Amino acid sequence: MVDFNKIIDFFENLNIPENMLNRGQLVLNEFMNPIKILFEQRSVPKEPWTDEQIEFLLQTLSNMDTDKDKNAARVGEREARIASKLHLKTSAGFCHGVGRSGFLTAAQPKAPGGSIMYHLSNYLARNVLRNFGLPNIKAAIVVPICTGMSLSLVLGALKPDQNEDPQNLKRKVLIPQIDHKSLLKSINLLGFKTKIISGKIFGDAVRIPIDDIRNNLDDECFAVISVTSFFPPREHDDIKEISKFAQQNNLVHIIINAYGVQSPEWMKMIRSAIDAGRVDAIIQSTDKNFLTPIGGAVIASPTKENITKISQTYPGRASATPIVNFLISMLSMGITGYQKLIEQQQQNREILEIKLKEVAEKLNERVLNIFNPVAVAVSLKNLKEDQLYALGGALYNLRVTGPRVYNPKEKLFGTCCSNYLTPYIVMNAAIGSTKKDIVSAVERFEKAYKQITHK
Amino acid sequence: MVDFNKIIDFFENLNIPENMLNRGQLVLNEFMNPIKILFEQRSVPKEPWTDEQIEFLLQTLSNMDTDKDKNAARVGEREARIASKLHLKTSAGFCHGVGRSGFLTAAQPKAPGGSIMYHLSNYLARNVLRNFGLPNIKAAIVVPICTGMSLSLVLGALKPDQNEDPQNLKRKVLIPQIDHKSLLKSINLLGFKTKIISGKIFGDAVRIPIDDIRNNLDDECFAVISVTSFFPPREHDDIKEISKFAQQNNLVHIIINAYGVQSPEWMKMIRSAIDAGRVDAIIQSTDKNFLTPIGGAVIASPTKENITKISQTYPGRASATPIVNFLISMLSMGITGYQKLIEQQQQNREILEIKLKEVAEKLNERVLNIFNPVAVAVSLKNLKEDQLYALGGALYNLRVTGPRVYNPKEKLFGTCCSNYLTPYIVMNAAIGSTKKDIVSAVERFEKAYKQITHK
Amino acid sequence: MVDFNKIIDFFENLNIPENMLNRGQLVLNEFMNPIKILFEQRSVPKEPWTDEQIEFLLQTLSNMDTDKDKNAARVGEREARIASKLHLKTSAGFCHGVGRSGFLTAAQPKAPGGSIMYHLSNYLARNVLRNFGLPNIKAAIVVPICTGMSLSLVLGALKPDQNEDPQNLKRKVLIPQIDHKSLLKSINLLGFKTKIISGKIFGDAVRIPIDDIRNNLDDECFAVISVTSFFPPREHDDIKEISKFAQQNNLVHIIINAYGVQSPEWMKMIRSAIDAGRVDAIIQSTDKNFLTPIGGAVIASPTKENITKISQTYPGRASATPIVNFLISMLSMGITGYQKLIEQQQQNREILEIKLKEVAEKLNERVLNIFNPVAVAVSLKNLKEDQLYALGGALYNLRVTGPRVYNPKEKLFGTCCSNYLTPYIVMNAAIGSTKKDIVSAVERFEKAYKQITHK
Amino acid sequence: MVDFNKIIDFFENLNIPENMLNRGQLVLNEFMNPIKILFEQRSVPKEPWTDEQIEFLLQTLSNMDTDKDKNAARVGEREARIASKLHLKTSAGFCHGVGRSGFLTAAQPKAPGGSIMYHLSNYLARNVLRNFGLPNIKAAIVVPICTGMSLSLVLGALKPDQNEDPQNLKRKVLIPQIDHKSLLKSINLLGFKTKIISGKIFGDAVRIPIDDIRNNLDDECFAVISVTSFFPPREHDDIKEISKFAQQNNLVHIIINAYGVQSPEWMKMIRSAIDAGRVDAIIQSTDKNFLTPIGGAVIASPTKENITKISQTYPGRASATPIVNFLISMLSMGITGYQKLIEQQQQNREILEIKLKEVAEKLNERVLNIFNPVAVAVSLKNLKEDQLYALGGALYNLRVTGPRVYNPKEKLFGTCCSNYLTPYIVMNAAIGSTKKDIVSAVERFEKAYKQITHK
């Protein structure tokens, strides 16, 4: 095979001056060097890669898979045969997917390249979390399913032995009230019961006091869920205390950190929780944190065995694309790029609050006092029921995507408590959003509000 | 916007003769017409589309999603922001994935194009199954998970109410012995118990008599699994009888038809089973049947409500790529192309048997008498334990991928019974494989066998 | 940089079994090995490369060019800066083009990779011609201009010293009548005069007797042009005799072999001409012979210095794309693939004649007796002037592209003589055409003919 | 065909709410609207297009060409058959190239889409020049050849009738000294003689006084060349006066405006020259001005007939890629983007001068006083011959690309005069370069200079 380190040796007698050839080798080296560093260090690169470098890596690895072997005689029932070359694009060449016999990270004999790709991605997942707030995790895995399904998988992996006598079988999960359908469905999928501890109002914020959680514990419970990132008025849980509580009571403790990696503050809470008590798994979305298309999550744990169990619980194979997407994001941003995005997020969050305060004042509303490093909520107390409804529609028509207009009188689910009174709107300055997004969203909110109240 | 039907109207005064312009319009029309037919009929096209046509469709639809809207102000916590343009390739532009709030097929306000794409794909899934053997299904859904995880999802959706008194709660699944890890894990994931009915030997074949299944029924059982496509010596189940049995006993009946769509014979059995009794869901792999990269399955049902339930059980969003891959396969093959592949499979299956018979005779072995429209098994009775082990290695080195060498003395799991005696090898002439694959695999098998026995 | 020969060394401790890693390396080696062979042998590969292999090569080489160097400080007036990433596709990454200071093949200091690419392509050009009929050429160059412009370039390079006293300056080119506008314009561009020797009719064929050429020689002539491939009724020239004549009279002799590489018979004539007398340059189209998009030509010569002169005559730089296209064609076909295409062409040519004979008989017309390994001409003697005109239109409407309907009474230019009487139609079975093309073209011709004559 | 304006009509009964569908249509409309505006107005868009929009346009147009017609029966000798799908990328689908029978802009019956593409590009070429300084041009053509070859083409098109009696035939071109090999070769290619009027030194600058040009006129001359953009110390020509002179003496006047479009000052000179006298053609590079890969030029003229003649002089077809590249650049930058680039260039030019002045002062050298809106020259009077040579090498090693180190004692060609004494270095702040380029080039120059002088 060509030794790309010395590619120019082939062209010595080609009438191209030596210094030009050397320059060519030099430029090629710079293109390829990051690959070597990646292979050696298995960590997120410091500087962003170009798309061309990323494609080169993916192409090289995927060309190690046996479906690319022209001399193979294929007599399995699945051999990553594809109907169209377009499939090579959507899978980045990894047609064999990931997983084997119900073991996500098992090496696939037919896909050495895909197996390497997956292992690298998992190293990068651990590395990026360690770099951005969780030095105390031991292992991480990128899973080709979203946050909700990841919770099912983790619960399925860490559940008690189900062959226990039905009388003694623990089948209940403690949940400080989290009004999120996917999360509840992910528990229902497995047939577990939920014990939801109601949220309480503290000023503007909704929290679930640790004592309430403690008081709800019963013999059937085997796990407790907690959250960091969530929509106001619900604040993050007191995960450090829940962590201690889980340890004391031998409960599986799963933290839903859906879009929390972007916030050093939320990450710090998790770090403390790990140090203080028991955390079994932390689940984060790849799209919300790492700007991939929808479809993946990173599950991390301070306990390596948990990650192994989770990997072994997945029944069968899965699409490699969500893994590849995570890898693409890591390489295309690098540590520097991600750090910059986090800083931008913090600036945007500040701008969002300032701008919303200005508008709130004009409208005789107010920014609610709720801790959240991503979102800001503003009261809509002057709006009547039909006006609240109209506001949502008006914002949609003004092409503001993502704001949440809530009217607790109409629907309580979403407020995470039973007696929230003020209607409100929530906007996010999430990672990857631009200043222009923030500024124009607030302007359009003002416009929509005035439209509605003036007629 | 440009009316592509009359694109040439723009160029009338451009010094290009009218007949040339007309020809241009004609050629463009032929390129675009299949899109219209697809939109109108929502069925698999008769003739294959070109890659360019497929890309044009995907590009058009994905450009309806709001992440492409330059004038939007995005303040959600997820807005399909992406770190790299490479993500547009792996997702075919559908960065929002599929699913919403734990409802796979729910339309996404931020992704009108992606929602259309998913709806079309589901129509095509139903249509292709109806065309190739199952006219009596009512609905189908393409799911972004593989066969194993699909079984979890279906069981999760069709399981009994879990709030029942634990004493009376049915938590057991009847399984005519299927020695497949992913399948068992998919049941374990949900914490259900399995009641496995052992396989029995009939000549060379392993079958599970319906009476044995009946005799194993107890009060805890709420479901029964059956299979069509499986590895010899295990034959398909008597699914018609299981279907009647399920109806009589009010059991959920799920058919694992992993790679069965390629076989008109297996499909006919399912059709009869649907007509004769109760079938709740039929699960088929998109990669094994429709030549996509790994990652999807089609779940079909004679009962529309089941598909709705399954769709509503999925917790959250998921990658759109497995859906897109299914769509790509359908469009790139068309009915004609798929029919041709099925015919080729049948020819290859015949060649495989003929070639293996010739070799078996030379080696003093024999082709086992087991019904299977895809696979053929040959005895390896002359080989000793270490030779059997060596054969697997030798085939791997000769780059034969996918054959299974089994030594029941060493490991029974895989034979689907407790007393299979002959060691054997299984080879598949699966859809998408070539005559060259078959012929050279048999040649290399002979070579490997001789290498091993002669030394 | 990564040593791709030992890529798996990086992954030894990655929990992937050694035999799997070895398989991955093996498959990768097979993917990359052809690149090494190409670099070492600089000849057209025996077997076709895949698109992925070709892209990998182009990507590697183009990443040696300095416009990819992130650490460069660019202060030239041209540095291959591009407005859009799409330019990387259209140029295959070779944004610097080819050529320098009026020397096509000069190495570009800013483009070591592009320079290598061009040198390799020229080796392949020589190699493919040597392999397919011209072992006696010494050098070849792929030029980023078509056949016509190539003739200008060659004439410009091989013209006499223009500082000669105008009285003695030779400025005339001898041309055995070739009715082709581009060719004549290519001579006019340089301001040379043409002396055209009229064609004569021999049976059905039009030929230019060597004696007529001889008789037209005068003191002003410095060059003679000859052709192989042309449209019936004009046959190829007697290039062996013209070659001798050129040698005797010290004339530059340029052979227009526009689409002649596909025909071993035409190539054999050129080979003999080279051996027998003087041939300065042979020009062939890359698109007509090698199935590239329009835009390039290969100029070959038995005299190395001629190619050097031609390369040095080109004023400035040029698009690299026509060169890349030639390279793509060579790699994607390989010697085997090209050989197969030639055989197919010969079969199609035979089918064309047979089918046309059958139809001609029915229509009371006849296949004209003209030697041409690509084209066949059929008389249209029964058609009146307006019917001949109508036939062209009818064929266009029936989507037959490329046939030529000639009516010598209406326009003599094209017949290469002054007294051709029979109207006729010409069809080609050119390289790359399919049997379906041929058969349906003849059917539609019959249909069109009947339509016209029956009304 | 689908009416994309009403694409959502197809999906009304698809369970997707109407407001979502409307949003999808809206987003799609914004994607496609620019195409309509382009078709209607045939001018450079105000705002940049995305790559996806450009690709959509190219794909639509190229799908009008007959090589995409599956139902065609192809019996021409060239039918744009391609060996590999990769050719579709390099040609953007326009496999038929441009040109026909020696007429560049002639519509091709086999390529209606390609013909439209070319016509549009020519409109855009005229439009961009009119927008950026030359409102008084009447027509423009994008040619698939570079500046040098374009000069050959223009001279070939506008040369006197060559059938004139050799005694009276005018074959000489007047050239105010331009030391550029390609330019001289482009004249030599056609066999014309050159009469070069020597440059004279005015302070630091080299200019050619109009009187010297006048005095050199003789009866053999038929054309005069002038330049705007060139390397210091040569300044632009006094093109207004040359224009008058050409008119008075009935000379063809061709302006080489190689990279002059980026400079409003140079463009203003051309505008005045057109108004004041005779300008036949103005030639500008597409890569140097519009950031395409190498390979094209735009030829403009205040006389429409000249452009027609030039188009008709080109012998044959040519690659469509250089045309497509120009189109891509125009669409991807838009008027706004190009304006911004020009402003950036002006800032960078200023920075370059400031930084070089600082360094020159330190080194006891000085910035030469020469008018040039792109380049700056600095004296190297303190360096000896070997040091000057070493400086070039040192800069190359420091990865400064594009600077020119000149030692008039060693080689006069390049200084455009016979007695330039000071050695000097030239650096460019050309369009598309970045501030980082400029700053680091100057820093490295200082470093290299010191390295050399200190040892």
Side-chain angles (χ1 to χ4, degrees), chain B residues 20 23 26 30 396 399, chain C residues 20 23 26 30 396 399:
Chain B
M20 292 188 200
R23 175 60 48 92
L26 182 79
E30 300 224 342
Y396 189 80
R399 285 145 94 169
Chain C
M20 291 188 201
R23 174 59 48 91
L26 182 79
E30 301 225 341
Y396 190 81
R399 284 146 93 171

Side-chain angles (χ1 to χ4, degrees), chain C residues 352-362 365 367 378:
Chain C
L352 178 61
E353 183 155 354
I354 292 169
K355 293 279 171 196
L356 279 177
K357 269 193 177 144
E358 289 171 11
V359 169
E361 216 156 286
K362 289 194 223 170
E365 300 283 1
V367 167
V378 176

Side-chain angles (χ1 to χ4, degrees), chain C residues 128-129 131-134 228-231 256-270 282-291 330 333 337-350 352 371-376 427-434 438, chain D residues 74-79 81:
Chain C
V128 75
L129 292 179
N131 260 284
F132 288 92
L134 302 186
T228 53
S229 58
F230 204 74
F231 313 116
I256 308 293
N257 188 35
Y259 48 99
V261 185
Q262 68 190 291
S263 158
E265 287 160 306
W266 280 330
M267 291 299 268
K268 204 175 161 186
M269 294 175 195
I270 298 173
I282 311 128
I283 301 172
Q284 26 267 316
S285 156
T286 55
D287 63 279
K288 289 179 193 159
N289 289 295
F290 303 121
L291 309 181
M330 285 300 105
M333 300 191 296
Y338 196 59
Q339 184 59 45
K340 212 174 282 174
L341 279 171
I342 284 180
E343 285 159 20
Q344 234 165 53
Q345 188 277 325
Q346 290 170 336
Q347 289 162 15
N348 285 340
R349 170 63 181 73
E350 214 179 310
L352 178 61
F371 176 84
N372 192 309
V374 169
V376 180
M427 287 189 183
N428 295 278
I431 194 160
S433 64
T434 63
I438 305 301
Chain D
R74 295 178 182 81
V75 288
E77 83 286 2
R78 54 159 293 277
E79 295 280 357
R81 299 170 188 112

Side-chain angles (χ1 to χ4, degrees), chain D residues 76 119 134 146 169 171 199 271 306 323 333 337 348 351 354 416 426 443:
Chain D
H119 278 75
L134 302 185
C146 283
L169 191 54
R171 297 184 48 76
R271 180 179 178 172
N306 284 350
I323 316 300
M333 300 190 297
N348 286 338
I351 293 166
I354 291 169
C416 299
V426 176
E443 281 170 7

Side-chain angles (χ1 to χ4, degrees), chain B residues 238-255:
Chain B
D238 186 351
I239 52 176
K240 191 173 174 180
E241 288 307 311
I242 294 176
S243 174
K244 290 182 197 164
F245 161 75
Q247 192 169 42
Q248 289 151 5
N249 296 287
N250 202 21
L251 294 173
V252 169
H253 177 202
I254 303 166
I255 301 175

Side-chain angles (χ1 to χ4, degrees), chain D residues 15-41:
Chain D
N15 263 336
I16 301 177
E18 201 189 339
N19 64 344
M20 292 188 202
L21 286 176
N22 289 338
R23 174 60 49 90
Q25 184 70 61
L26 181 79
V27 179
L28 184 63
N29 286 357
E30 300 223 342
F31 179 79
M32 291 195 173
N33 268 339
I35 297 177
K36 192 182 181 192
I37 297 171
L38 176 74
F39 286 174
E40 285 172 351
Q41 306 189 350

